Amino acid sequence: MLHLPLQAAEDALAVLQEFRASGYRSPVLALERLQQADAPGARASLEHRWRFDAALSRLALAIGAPELADTAVRRLQTMAESEACAPCSAVLVVRREQQAESSDPESLRRSLAELSTLPDPTDPPLRFEWLTARARAHALLGQDDAAIADLLTAADVAEAGGLSSDLVLALDALGRANATRRDLKRALEFSARGIALAREMGFQYGLVRLLFNRSYQLAQLKENPERRSALLEVVQLSKSTRGLENFNRDALINLAALSNDLQEYHQAAGFALEAEKLVDRKSDPNGEAFALVNRGVAWVHLGRTEEGLALVQQAIVIAEKTASSGGDKRELADLIEQQVRALEAAGRSQPALAALHRWVRLNTELTNSQREQAIAMLQESVAAQQRLREIERLRLENDRSEAELELRRWRERAWAAAALAVALLAFLIWRRLTRSRRVNRRLRKDVARLSDESHRDALTGVGNRRFGEERLQHLDADNSARPEAERARVALLLLDADHFKRVNDTHGHAAGDAVLIELSRRMRAVLRDGDAVVRWGGEEFLLILPRADEQGLGVLTRRLLAAIGSQPFALPQGQQQPVRVSAGGLIWTAGSGVAWSTLLALADAALYRAKTDGRNRAVLAFGATSVSGDEADHLDALIVQGRLRLDTVAGVPVQ
């Protein structure tokens, strides 16, 4: 009988070299192949052993195998301690950053500080990992420019070191980072370069990642044919490769959504149904929700109305459970938006309006939350700068104290040289005091500037929500001690740009930003000194108008609607876009004991009435001196009770 010799195991380091030069089909398959290879034994060189465990832990973390990663990390720790392995120590710092689950700013800053204090590694693969880990921390802290700078350096390191697969991954990360910064031109340039390189070297995993992320960049530009082509290629490349199932599922979900947008409902239903088969309902409930909602929308348009709406509602319930247990509420908002479209297509106007109202409130909540996070980060930055300046001030004070002690010692030692010593030390004190005053003046200016920035909307330059709330609280407190006849009457007017989402969807976010900037400018041009424009949330603004009565509010509202709607808005690409607004307003007596927040809820209800009455108008609610929070949404009941009167101010007619 003929016995065939067993095939010898591959050398692990040769496998790693092949991965760097040619990539791999998926991280799962790459890890399996590395585990089956002939790993360096205890007698192997230190370099061979740390390189193997560095690669093993990196791949294990990439596929979500923490126990395997921990085993490799422990071996690296042993090498660092018992064999003084400097590269091992560097890998350990990088892995700690990659394993960290916390994303709060303080933890991220500590990780970034630890990474930045490492000596710049000279080994190309290790230096590449160090730079990309640092870029990740920068990106999570919102420091996009610093993240891109590290990624550009990482790409240069990979290219110079012949690390072709790492270069592909760096180009993908650069595409995503530039897309986050809304520089879509550069994002597409990086992704195109990465795709060409991945095709040339046969790096399937890198190609799938790049094509999938490129589809999101193309979605922002409404490049639907190229986006569809990219997603179809992702499905083709990933459907038969173990370890790429998530890409296959997500590409099918996106294809279903794109087909619905293009009114290709049969294809949408097919893609969605195929995606549902791939979803792990326990680990990815929102994936199931998006697949269901896409199939539901398609069925509604195909005439299977009740079944389709039931699927949409089932998706909403799943997303609500996920959000209530700490999931991303933005995904719930996206699903509710799809529900609005499905209900409109089914002709269910009242449920559609209710869902739209819920979507608006949820988006306002998310916008406020993002704004609060940005303000918190700004405040932390201000506090850090103040601490540094306080340290400098204390150091100067200490220098002055030392100078005074030195003066006394000189007096005790040599009366003959006292005059000279006093003069010299006085000069030193004067110089240090002068420097201290300069530092303190600079500190006061910086604090004043940062305080102003924390009260201003970065895009439009008008007051932000924090500024508006403090202004209203100040008015309320100032008037509370005054006699009733002397209390200030303040007009509150909430405005919302009509069909603003269409501007973003049609022309892009840069055009939307231009509209908000011009809208703010036109409002400020109409208002008086002492009036305030506040960006309350998204495309919604609050005008705070002291010394106003009902007649004056009506006149000012008419002028505002005319100023905004009479001339189209210029967009960055040269187009002209007509913009109209809807508004809700009322008169508030500051210091009367009626909370401004309650009356703002009434103004919001009046704004909603203006929207439902056809938009391009303002509804002014007069006469309500005391309204509870529960009553604010029931305008008709307040009118019947004789406690409220509504006046409508029409905007400029649509040509």
Side-chain angles (χ1 to χ4, degrees):
M1 179 181 294
L2 179 64
H3 294 280
L4 295 175
L6 294 174
Q7 185 175 0
E10 295 181 283
D11 178 69
L13 296 179
V15 171
L16 291 177
Q17 289 175 354
E18 181 184 334
F19 287 167
R20 294 192 188 106
S22 305
Y24 37 84
R25 295 179 62 199
S26 78
V28 169
L29 297 176
L31 180 61
E32 289 181 356
R33 185 175 170 194
L34 187 61
Q35 287 180 291
Q36 293 166 4
D38 188 6
R43 295 184 177 181
S45 69
L46 177 62
E47 179 180 357
H48 287 184
R49 285 182 283 127
W50 78 254
R51 286 193 186 280
F52 175 80
D53 282 318
L56 189 68
S57 57
R58 179 184 179 184
L59 286 170
L61 287 175
I63 69 166
E67 293 181 359
L68 181 58
D70 287 343
T71 301
V73 165
R74 282 195 296 271
R75 289 198 294 265
L76 288 165
Q77 183 75 47
T78 300
M79 285 184 268
E81 293 172 353
S82 62
E83 300 182 63
C85 175
C88 299
S89 300
V91 174
L92 288 170
V93 173
V94 173
R95 291 293 176 268
R96 278 197 294 271
E97 193 279 334
Q98 293 168 335
Q99 288 175 305
E101 296 181 358
S102 175
S103 60
D104 67 278
E106 191 60 36
S107 297
L108 288 168
R109 274 192 285 272
R110 283 197 299 268
S111 295
L112 187 57
E114 189 175 10
L115 287 166
S116 299
T117 54
L118 276 177
D120 194 341
T122 57
D123 179 72
L126 181 53
R127 187 161 187 249
F128 176 86
E129 279 206 65
W130 172 68
L131 286 164
T132 51
R134 205 168 66 170
R136 173 182 175 273
H138 279 307
L140 290 172
L141 284 168
Q143 301 166 0
D144 294 329
D145 290 342
I148 289 173
D150 276 344
L151 288 172
L152 287 169
T153 306
D156 290 341
V157 169
E159 190 166 19
L163 313 175
S164 299
S165 61
D166 284 338
L167 177 57
V168 168
L169 298 178
L171 293 170
D172 176 54
L174 280 165
R176 287 184 283 114
N178 278 278
T180 300
R181 205 172 55 168
R182 294 185 179 177
D183 188 350
L184 294 176
K185 180 181 178 182
R186 287 182 63 80
L188 290 169
E189 288 173 356
F190 282 120
S191 64
R193 182 183 167 196
I195 287 169
L197 179 59
R199 289 191 197 282
E200 178 184 343
M201 59 190 286
F203 186 11
Q204 182 173 343
Y205 171 66
L207 179 58
V208 167
R209 276 185 59 162
L210 280 155
L211 287 167
F212 187 78
N213 290 323
R214 185 177 177 85
S215 73
Y216 278 104
Q217 298 156 18
L218 294 166
Q220 296 181 59
L221 295 173
K222 302 299 180 184
E223 297 288 347
N224 291 328
E226 189 179 350
R227 181 187 175 203
R228 180 199 291 272
S229 175
L231 289 170
L232 286 171
E233 188 171 1
V234 171
V235 171
Q236 180 184 3
L237 289 169
S238 61
K239 66 181 179 181
S240 58
T241 302
R242 191 157 50 85
L244 300 182
E245 295 86 357
N246 290 347
F247 286 105
N248 189 17
R249 176 202 64 211
D250 292 344
L252 287 167
I253 291 173
N254 288 342
L255 279 167
L258 176 59
S259 298
N260 275 329
D261 289 342
L262 297 176
Q263 300 180 12
E264 298 169 353
Y265 301 117
H266 285 289
Q267 289 189 18
F271 286 133
L273 191 58
E274 195 173 347
E276 287 176 51
K277 298 175 183 176
L278 299 173
V279 170
D280 185 336
R281 289 170 172 79
K282 290 184 178 179
S283 64
D284 186 22
N286 276 354
E288 179 188 11
F290 277 102
L292 287 170
V293 83
N294 285 322
R295 182 156 64 98
V297 170
W299 277 9
V300 168
H301 284 280
L302 292 171
R304 300 173 65 175
T305 305
E306 298 303 328
E307 295 171 279
L309 292 178
L311 286 175
V312 172
Q313 183 57 36
Q314 183 181 348
I316 296 293
V317 170
I318 292 171
E320 286 173 339
K321 290 180 180 178
T322 305
S324 66
S325 59
D328 192 344
K329 289 186 178 181
R330 287 173 296 186
E331 295 188 339
L332 175 59
D334 290 341
L335 289 165
I336 293 173
E337 184 179 9
Q338 294 298 321
Q339 184 184 37
V340 172
R341 293 181 179 180
L343 289 166
E344 287 179 342
R348 310 291 171 84
S349 57
Q350 289 301 320
L353 280 174
L356 177 61
H357 195 54
R358 183 185 181 193
W359 178 80
V360 169
R361 291 186 181 279
L362 183 55
N363 270 279
T364 301
E365 177 187 337
L366 290 169
T367 301
N368 292 342
S369 175
Q370 291 170 351
R371 182 182 298 106
E372 288 167 3
Q373 291 174 8
I375 290 173
M377 291 183 69
L378 176 62
Q379 289 173 331
E380 289 176 5
S381 176
V382 172
Q385 292 186 39
Q386 288 176 328
R387 285 194 295 271
L388 289 173
R389 296 195 185 280
E390 179 65 17
I391 290 170
E392 175 70 6
R393 188 186 67 77
L394 291 173
R395 188 182 68 79
L396 291 172
E397 290 290 339
N398 184 60
D399 287 348
R400 185 177 66 179
S401 299
E402 289 181 359
E404 291 172 346
L405 288 172
E406 188 176 355
L407 175 60
R408 286 196 293 270
R409 284 194 295 268
W410 272 96
R411 282 174 175 170
E412 293 171 358
R413 290 175 184 173
W415 287 102
L420 177 61
V422 168
L424 289 173
L425 289 172
F427 175 71
L428 289 173
I429 293 170
W430 174 79
R431 286 189 62 185
R432 292 190 181 278
L433 286 174
T434 302
R435 183 181 176 191
S436 176
R437 291 190 187 101
R438 284 200 303 269
V439 170
N440 285 333
R441 282 197 299 271
R442 190 162 63 247
L443 172 61
R444 286 194 295 271
K445 288 179 181 178
D446 287 352
V447 170
R449 176 179 57 81
L450 291 168
S451 176
D452 182 67
E453 289 176 357
S454 72
H455 285 77
R456 292 288 160 192
D457 177 59
L459 175 66
T460 62
V462 302
N464 58 21
R465 190 182 186 107
R466 180 183 180 186
F467 166 81
E469 290 174 347
E470 290 182 1
R471 181 72 176 270
L472 291 168
Q473 290 166 2
H474 181 73
L475 285 168
D476 205 20
D478 270 5
N479 286 272
S480 61
R482 296 181 181 179
E484 183 174 349
E486 297 178 10
R487 289 173 183 160
R489 288 166 61 79
V490 182
L492 305 178
L493 189 66
L494 275 174
L495 295 94
D496 187 272
D498 293 335
H499 303 298
F500 182 75
K501 188 175 185 300
R502 292 182 186 173
V503 177
N504 279 334
D505 289 347
T506 304
H507 302 289
H509 288 284
D513 290 348
V515 166
L516 294 176
I517 293 168
E518 175 62 13
L519 181 59
S520 302
R521 189 196 67 77
R522 294 191 187 188
M523 287 190 289
R524 284 186 290 184
V526 172
L527 299 186
R528 310 161 299 178
D529 289 339
D531 294 343
V533 181
V534 177
R535 188 175 179 193
W536 202 243
E539 64 271 20
E540 188 175 62
F541 294 81
L542 170 64
L543 306 188
I544 303 173
L545 315 168
R547 308 181 309 281
D549 55 19
E550 294 180 3
Q551 181 180 359
L553 178 57
V555 171
L556 182 60
T557 301
R558 189 169 289 103
R559 290 176 59 199
L560 277 168
L561 295 178
I564 293 166
S566 58
Q567 295 293 331
F569 285 44
L571 301 186
Q573 290 79 16
Q575 307 100 318
Q576 297 289 313
Q577 174 68 40
V579 175
R580 306 288 191 274
V581 297
S582 299
L586 45 75
I587 302 293
W588 168 55
T589 302
S592 62
V594 178
W596 56 263
S597 56
T598 301
L599 286 183
L600 270 186
L602 184 61
D604 186 55
L607 167 61
Y608 187 68
R609 175 66 63 91
K611 290 281 189 185
T612 57
D613 285 350
R615 296 183 172 86
N616 188 27
R617 68 195 65 210
V619 173
L620 306 180
F622 296 132
T625 58
S626 178
V627 178
S628 69
D630 293 334
E631 293 176 316
D633 286 333
H634 300 85
L635 299 183
D636 292 331
L638 292 170
I639 293 170
V640 170
Q641 295 168 14
R643 297 166 59 194
L644 190 68
R645 181 182 90 252
L646 298 184
D647 288 350
T648 299
V649 178
V652 176
V654 179
Q655 301 296 326

